[in-house]
Amino acid sequence: MKKVVKFGGSSLASADQFKKVGKIIKEDEERCYVVPSAPGKRYSRDVKVTDMLYKCYNAAANGKDFTEILKEIQKRYQEIIDGLGIKLSLKEEFTVINENLKKNVEADYAASRGEYLNGIILAEYLGFEFVDAAEVIFFNETGTLDSNKTDQALSERLSKVTYAVIPGFYGSNPSGEITTFSRGGSDITGSLVAKAIQADVYENWTDVSGFLVADPRIVDNPEVIETITYKELRELAYMGATVLHEDAIFPVRKAGIPINIRNTNAPQDKGTLIVEGTCRKPKYTITGIAGKEGFASITIEKAMMNAEIGFGRKLLKVFEDNDISFEHIPSGIDTMTIFVYQDGFVEKEQKVLAEIHRAVEPDHIELESDLSLIAIVGRGMRSTRGTAARIFSALAHAHVNVKMIDQGSSELNIIVGVRNHDFKNAVNAIYDIFVSTQL
Ligand code: ASP
């Protein structure tokens, strides 16, 4: 068995965290390839090294003095080195970074040094080989990943080393310049390494014990999801549940490699296993609940709409022409409702309304704002009758009025629309009926 292990910023924020990471890796000899993030926050008001590096870059780009910020960064790394008691000097590395910043290198180069330096320290601490991501992760000139070249380079290079540290977040472009993924991109590096070496599992270590059934800011102490499929995850992520960078899923999903979300601060917890498919029965009928506030709805009414060929196309074209993405379209016989994000819509609303009138000559248009959508997701719903009934009786008991219902034919999720002020109450009521009381 071969495992790729990625550690997030909070798992590598201090020497103490490094020690936990070292113990986790050394405990299991199958953990052969390690992908570190840059040092993250040590406490809630702390600043991530990546943010400090961007600050440094901005100062340099504006011709301001950046030496103090750079010194601060160097101090953070030195504290880790001293705390680990290893013999390593990053003096030369910092001289090079300083020179490059003076020469006005790209922002991506500056940001990437967080992972680069953390990788050097971790490799030294573990006694693993350091493989610079610039040599194995490749981007096109446009900044998008060159997945074929990357896959080939990674598998070729790593076939020669049994134990290695490959820093996350960055690679290089055809001109040899450093390019980064978007923020949180070390997750993607881990996924690419796992695919290239055909790992048995991609362990993603963070500071939570996996995906939670509901948002802990809404539900008190929600349970952890034991197993979730990629499809379910996608539904929940779309509604705002995040632990993992969305682009990290694709490479491993394509190769059928499961992802295991684990907690560096509670390594005894099994975490969440993300899989392509599973015969394992979910613990509850639903796998998770996620939701978002801030939607507006536009309801168009027109007698005999159902018989008018091309009605939907003409209507949706108005939204397309105005560069507005629609989220859901529940429809009746003579009505169609379009859900959109309120923020982007408000400034264009009058223009959109006028264009709808011109395009489809409706009898009536009604606008409603401050709505929320809640997705109740679960493969267990497919074969269980009464799921919808339980959701709606829970909402009725909680005095929540349901504005909209949408169930995809995959039976993987049910989406309900409620008013923003009912949102938290609704999520709690649904969690309660499926997880706490299991009525
Ligand atoms: N250090 C980078 C960030 O803060 C990338 C990562 O942690 O994955 O976004």
Side-chain angles (χ1 to χ4, degrees), residues 389-438:
R390 285 161 79 189
I391 295 172
F392 297 115
S393 67
L395 293 175
H397 278 110
H399 303 282
V400 174
N401 177 38
V402 177
K403 304 283 309 167
M404 187 276 284
I405 307 165
D406 195 356
Q407 176 178 348
S409 50
S410 66
E411 289 185 69
L412 197 65
N413 72 2
I414 294 176
I415 294 175
V416 294
V418 300
R419 288 191 197 287
N420 277 353
H421 66 76
D422 283 331
F423 176 60
K424 291 190 173 136
N425 194 7
V427 173
N428 272 297
I430 298 165
Y431 181 86
D432 205 48
I433 201 142
F434 285 104
V435 182
S436 308
T437 59
Q438 291 186 54

Side-chain angles (χ1 to χ4, degrees), residues 6 9 37-38 48 50 115 169 183-187:
K6 180 257 164 180
S37 277
K48 289 178 169 192
T50 309
E115 272 69 12
F169 191 40
R183 295 300 302 266
S186 298
D187 285 341

Side-chain angles (χ1 to χ4, degrees), residues 133-261:
E135 292 163 25
V136 281
I137 306 275
F138 295 107
F139 291 84
N140 296 314
E141 280 301 355
T142 52
T144 51
L145 178 77
D146 185 339
S147 26
N148 287 340
K149 195 172 168 194
T150 297
D151 197 51
Q152 219 176 353
L154 270 172
S155 50
E156 228 173 80
R157 178 74 174 82
L158 297 181
S159 67
K160 298 186 198 113
V161 258
T162 321
Y163 293 100
V165 173
I166 309 106
F169 191 40
Y170 71 91
S172 58
N173 70 11
S175 326
E177 286 158 357
I178 298 290
T179 305
T180 64
F181 292 108
S182 56
R183 295 300 302 266
S186 298
D187 285 341
I188 310 172
T189 310
S191 183
L192 293 169
V193 174
K195 176 174 184 285
I197 65 131
Q198 298 175 350
D200 295 278
V201 62
Y202 168 29
E203 288 181 348
N204 190 295
W205 292 79
T206 173
D207 51 10
V208 286
S209 291
F211 264 102
L212 301 174
V213 174
D215 188 336
R217 287 165 300 184
I218 300 175
V219 173
D220 225 12
N221 223 348
E223 289 221 14
V224 171
I225 301 171
E226 282 175 9
T227 312
I228 185 169
T229 64
Y230 284 116
K231 268 196 193 148
E232 291 172 306
L233 182 68
R234 168 86 184 102
E235 304 271 355
L236 290 172
Y238 160 75
M239 277 294 182
T242 48
V243 170
L244 205 64
H245 193 298
E246 238 194 309
D247 296 345
I249 292 171
F250 190 65
V252 275
R253 180 178 183 174
K254 220 173 139 197
I257 300 167
I259 306 177
N260 190 189
I261 308 284

Side-chain angles (χ1 to χ4, degrees), residues 12 18 48 73 104 107 136 141 249 273 276 280 297 300 304 307 343 361 398 413 431-432:
L12 294 165
F18 260 76
K48 289 178 169 192
I73 297 170
N104 275 337
V136 281
E141 280 301 355
I249 292 171
L273 198 62
E276 168 92 58
R280 282 190 221 177
S297 71
I300 292 99
M304 304 302 287
D343 272 356
E361 298 173 358
N413 72 2
Y431 181 86
D432 205 48

Side-chain angles (χ1 to χ4, degrees), residues 233-377:
L233 182 68
R234 168 86 184 102
E235 304 271 355
L236 290 172
Y238 160 75
M239 277 294 182
T242 48
V243 170
L244 205 64
H245 193 298
E246 238 194 309
D247 296 345
I249 292 171
F250 190 65
V252 275
R253 180 178 183 174
K254 220 173 139 197
I257 300 167
I259 306 177
N260 190 189
I261 308 284
R262 300 287 296 264
N263 189 349
T264 303
N265 304 320
Q268 70 285 357
D269 292 352
K270 287 205 304 223
T272 300
L273 198 62
I274 310 167
V275 294
E276 168 92 58
T278 175
C279 293
R280 282 190 221 177
K281 288 254 172 317
K283 199 163 163 199
Y284 308 105
T285 309
I286 61 160
T287 304
I289 313 164
K292 271 189 203 165
E293 298 180 81
F295 290 93
S297 71
I298 305 103
T299 300
I300 292 99
E301 235 179 276
K302 186 177 184 187
M304 304 302 287
M305 155 194 300
N306 60 326
E308 197 178 318
I309 291 174
F311 185 92
R313 180 184 49 77
K314 285 185 231 160
L315 178 60
L316 291 180
K317 189 164 182 303
V318 174
F319 289 85
E320 183 183 350
D321 291 346
N322 283 282
D323 206 20
I324 298 170
S325 159
F326 65 85
E327 303 302 315
H328 285 278
I329 325 179
S331 61
I333 300 171
D334 287 335
T335 61
M336 225 168 138
T337 304
I338 321 273
F339 274 79
V340 295
Y341 278 112
Q342 197 165 318
D343 272 356
F345 175 68
V346 173
E347 74 246 30
K348 298 176 184 164
E349 68 172 17
Q350 295 310 317
K351 187 165 172 270
V352 171
L353 288 189
E355 286 176 29
I356 293 176
H357 274 286
R358 257 174 265 145
V360 294
E361 298 173 358
D363 297 335
H364 182 66
I365 302 181
E366 198 166 303
L367 292 185
E368 205 165 340
S369 58
D370 301 323
L371 299 172
S372 304
L373 293 178
I374 302 170
I376 302 110
V377 176

